[in-house]
Amino acid sequence: MASESLKNFSGLETPGYVGFANLPNQVHRKSVKKGFEFTLMVVGESGLGKSTLVNSLFLTDLYPERVIPDAVEKTNQTVKLDASTVEIEERGVKLRLTVVDTPGYGDAIDNTDCFQSIIQYIDDQFERFLRDESGLNRRNIVDNRIHCCFYFISPTGHGLKPLDIEFMKQLHNKVNIVPVIAKADVLTKKEMQRLKDRVMGEIKENGIKIYPLPDCDSDEDEEYKEQMRQLRDAVPFAVCGATALLEVKGRRVRGRLYPWGVVEVENPEHCDFIKLRTMLITHMQDLQEVTQEVHYENYRSERLAKGTPMPKRNASVDSVDSDKALQEKDAELRRMQEMLDQMQRQMSLQKQQGQA
Ligand code: GDP
């Protein structure tokens, strides 16, 4: 089952197919059939290829009306958050995907505060969930919490930048961070390995917690275990994005055409795009669970520790209950009043009869 889901992992992917219909376990499949909600955030300096990658990942144009600001505009701009939602359906399986982009990140001259609005956005979604969860209509909550954050690292630096380190440190307790090295095609194989090692070293040195790929169950087949090992070894995923379909040796491939050849986005020999997509698709449920059990719980306990009043659990149920009690009291009072009126009527009747 599990290895079936990863059929295309080592070979070439069929263009036009994302692959979320082939999810690894039955429980997952069930929830996906009902319709699956997932929110992905992409963070990184502008121009690193975030939009291209997201469009290539989900084979859709998430930003049809995107306007790119010029340098002067960028200098004064603060980070904006842009949520775009698409519904993708594959073999009857629906995915409601929201991608939250963070234009303006790292663009200003002074970037000290540039993650504040991102932190605020993540917290706002937790707060909204907390409120909805305490309300009446708990079955129909729309979960807008960020389940995963792709953090884009520049391929041209010599490792992480101070801003990268600061961002990840500030956010690792709030969201599942998956580091990716952008524009993998600009580095040779050797340079890429060096950069990957350096990035992982710096992540460790700085005590940054990135999303930990869960361990395989011992009863999984060897092929699946091997594929998971390969996924783990590929972190930080070095990716290329392209939306163009090109013809290479009679095959239609998604790629970038250079004077010396074509970089095939979905060719595992060229970059980790397929690995990143496989990781995302096969771990969607785990990413949601970690969001619920670790990050959301962190938020709740922080709220408690700060002493900010928490929305009362089932507050509206309580108010409905007290309304009901009041109505019952009213009805009882009305009944007593009626009895009293009846007794008075009887008494005055008896009085009249006595006088007669
Ligand atoms: P964003 O600002 O981070 O969303 O970046 P865009 O997706 O708009 O891409 C910025 C530029 O980089 C565009 O000219 C893209 O064609 C180019 N680009 C996108 N992905 C890649 C890639 O993987 N490799 C290379 N070399 N260029 C890319």
Side-chain angles (χ1 to χ4, degrees):
M1 206 46 204
S3 45
E4 186 203 335
S5 71
L6 299 172
K7 231 174 222 161
N8 291 316
F9 180 68
S10 50
L12 293 172
E13 184 76 2
T14 333
Y17 182 61
V18 179
F20 60 83
N22 269 343
L23 287 154
N25 63 55
Q26 291 294 325
V27 184
H28 199 172
R29 251 181 166 288
K30 244 189 228 167
S31 58
V32 170
K33 273 217 160 140
K34 275 199 296 179
F36 204 75
E37 283 173 338
F38 194 85
T39 304
L40 171 73
M41 179 180 257
V42 286
V43 182
E45 288 168 35
S46 59
L48 281 184
K50 299 184 295 297
S51 321
T52 313
L53 186 87
V54 163
N55 286 337
S56 336
L57 269 178
F58 299 103
L59 305 171
T60 173
D61 187 7
L62 259 136
Y63 314 105
E65 282 152 25
R66 183 174 179 226
V67 181
I68 296 169
D70 62 23
V72 179
E73 277 179 84
K74 280 183 186 170
T75 321
N76 304 317
Q77 215 181 39
T78 48
V79 181
K80 280 195 308 193
L81 282 105
D82 242 346
S84 320
T85 301
V86 280
E87 288 210 9
I88 327 173
E89 188 165 340
E90 234 168 53
R91 297 199 208 148
V93 178
K94 284 194 209 96
L95 175 70
R96 182 175 171 273
L97 171 79
T98 302
V99 178
V100 180
D101 195 2
T102 52
Y105 175 83
D107 280 352
I109 293 170
D110 177 3
N111 286 304
T112 29
D113 280 341
C114 83
F115 27 75
Q116 280 317 320
S117 44
I118 300 179
I119 294 178
Q120 189 61 49
Y121 185 89
I122 294 176
D123 282 351
D124 286 350
Q125 308 316 309
F126 282 146
E127 185 63 29
R128 198 160 130 190
F129 194 84
L130 188 65
R131 238 183 303 124
D132 289 354
E133 201 188 37
S134 327
L136 244 193
N137 200 9
R138 282 191 285 152
R139 271 166 188 266
N140 301 317
I141 300 180
V142 179
D143 183 6
N144 283 314
R145 294 172 299 179
I146 310 290
H147 301 115
C148 180
C149 169
F150 284 173
Y151 188 83
F152 284 69
I153 297 160
S154 165
T156 53
H158 294 284
L160 294 175
K161 293 183 182 175
L163 180 64
D164 301 335
I165 295 178
E166 201 47 38
F167 175 89
M168 292 199 251
K169 272 179 145 178
Q170 297 251 356
L171 278 102
H172 63 183
N173 287 327
K174 292 188 176 291
V175 69
N176 293 313
I177 298 176
V178 173
V180 296
I181 297 177
K183 301 190 177 180
D185 53 308
V186 306
L187 295 179
T188 63
K189 218 169 174 159
K190 220 167 156 185
E191 288 166 338
M192 183 52 80
Q193 197 49 55
R194 208 178 304 140
L195 181 60
K196 280 189 171 190
D197 293 344
R198 178 121 193 200
V199 166
M200 285 315 281
E202 288 175 329
I203 284 178
K204 266 205 196 106
E205 271 164 38
N206 287 283
I208 295 167
K209 290 176 266 171
I210 54 172
Y211 169 62
L213 282 163
D215 291 330
C216 295
D217 291 339
S218 50
D219 56 354
E220 288 289 1
D221 59 71
E222 279 309 311
E223 197 188 347
Y224 179 73
K225 282 186 190 161
E226 174 53 26
Q227 282 163 337
M228 286 301 127
R229 216 167 293 132
Q230 285 182 25
L231 282 189
R232 211 165 276 130
D233 289 348
V235 180
F237 300 97
V239 290
C240 297
T243 41
L245 279 174
L246 307 168
E247 183 115 1
V248 175
K249 294 180 195 149
R251 285 182 295 120
R252 302 262 294 159
V253 297
R254 200 164 293 278
R256 308 185 64 82
L257 177 64
Y258 292 104
W260 53 89
V262 170
V263 174
E264 297 172 30
V265 168
E266 294 170 11
N267 185 337
E269 292 297 320
H270 293 190
C271 76
D272 299 330
F273 176 90
I274 288 291
K275 289 196 180 94
L276 176 67
R277 186 162 73 186
T278 307
M279 186 288 297
L280 185 67
I281 301 300
T282 53
H283 289 78
M284 271 188 170
Q285 199 176 22
D286 188 64
L287 285 157
Q288 288 184 321
E289 282 170 12
V290 178
T291 304
Q292 167 73 25
E293 285 155 26
V294 180
H295 303 304
Y296 178 60
E297 279 312 314
N298 274 346
Y299 177 79
R300 272 170 55 93
S301 44
E302 243 176 58
R303 278 274 319 256
L304 273 172
K306 274 191 202 147
T308 347
M310 299 277 277
K312 205 169 147 204
R313 199 169 190 97
N314 279 341
S316 13
V317 172
D318 287 350
S319 76
V320 165
D321 283 345
S322 53
D323 275 350
K324 215 170 145 195
L326 268 175
Q327 281 168 5
E328 276 168 11
K329 275 253 149 40
D330 268 347
E332 205 182 336
L333 275 169
R334 264 198 311 274
R335 269 197 311 275
M336 280 165 74
Q337 189 64 46
E338 268 164 23
M339 269 161 67
L340 254 158
D341 288 347
Q342 209 179 347
M343 274 158 75
Q344 269 172 350
R345 272 198 304 275
Q346 267 179 354
M347 271 161 68
S348 58
L349 200 72
Q350 280 168 0
K351 219 170 163 184
Q352 277 169 16
Q353 281 169 350
Q355 279 168 358

